[in-house]
């Protein structure tokens, strides 16, 4: 299962899509300063997964609402709902 995470530069073709195979790289650590686009990047990746035959669990401890649009196609919780969501996952 591959997801597109951006583009890489190719001297001949220019910008070429860059994919990561989630079968082998299923654990990620996304880091960056405030406002650097971590949530936007994660939303981009998750939006590619919602149509696949799997169950996504999104625990939004911050309660930013950034991931609310995905709540129709996954298990989603904010604030204290996150504990119930994690228990449901396990």
């Amino acid at each position: 299962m591959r997801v597109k995470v951006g583009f890489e530069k190719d001297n001949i073709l220019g910008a070429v899509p860059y994919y990561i195979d989630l079968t082998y790289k299923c654990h990620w650590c996304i880091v960056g300063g405030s406002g650097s686009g971590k949530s936007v990047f994660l939303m981009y990746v998750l939006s590619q997964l919602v149509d696949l035959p799997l169950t996504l669990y999104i625990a939004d401890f911050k309660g930013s609402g950034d991931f609310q649009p995905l709540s129709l196609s996954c298990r989603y919780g904010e604030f204290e709902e996150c504990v119930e969501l994690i228990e449901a996952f396990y």
Side-chain angles (χ1 to χ4, degrees), residues 48-86:
Q48 297 176 66
L49 301 177
V50 294
D51 294 329
L52 296 176
L54 51 85
T55 303
L56 292 174
Y57 289 81
I58 299 177
D60 187 3
F61 288 94
K62 187 170 68 170
S64 64
D66 292 344
F67 302 100
Q68 187 68 36
L70 296 174
S71 65
L72 298 176
S73 47
C74 71
R75 300 282 309 267
Y76 176 81
E78 293 180 340
F79 301 115
E80 56 275 340
E81 297 170 346
C82 293
V83 175
E84 297 170 14
L85 188 67
I86 292 170

Side-chain angles (χ1 to χ4, degrees), residues 17-54:
Y18 184 76
Y19 294 88
I20 290 181
D21 188 345
L22 294 179
T23 307
Y24 301 105
K25 296 181 174 128
C26 59
H27 297 96
W28 296 5
C29 180
I30 302 168
V31 297
S34 296
S36 64
K38 298 178 299 290
S39 294
V40 173
F41 170 73
L42 188 56
M43 180 66 105
Y44 175 72
V45 171
L46 292 175
S47 68
Q48 297 176 66
L49 301 177
V50 294
D51 294 329
L52 296 176
L54 51 85

Side-chain angles (χ1 to χ4, degrees), residues 7-17:
F7 295 89
E8 62 182 337
K9 184 178 178 184
D10 182 284
N11 291 335
I12 296 171
L13 301 173
V16 178

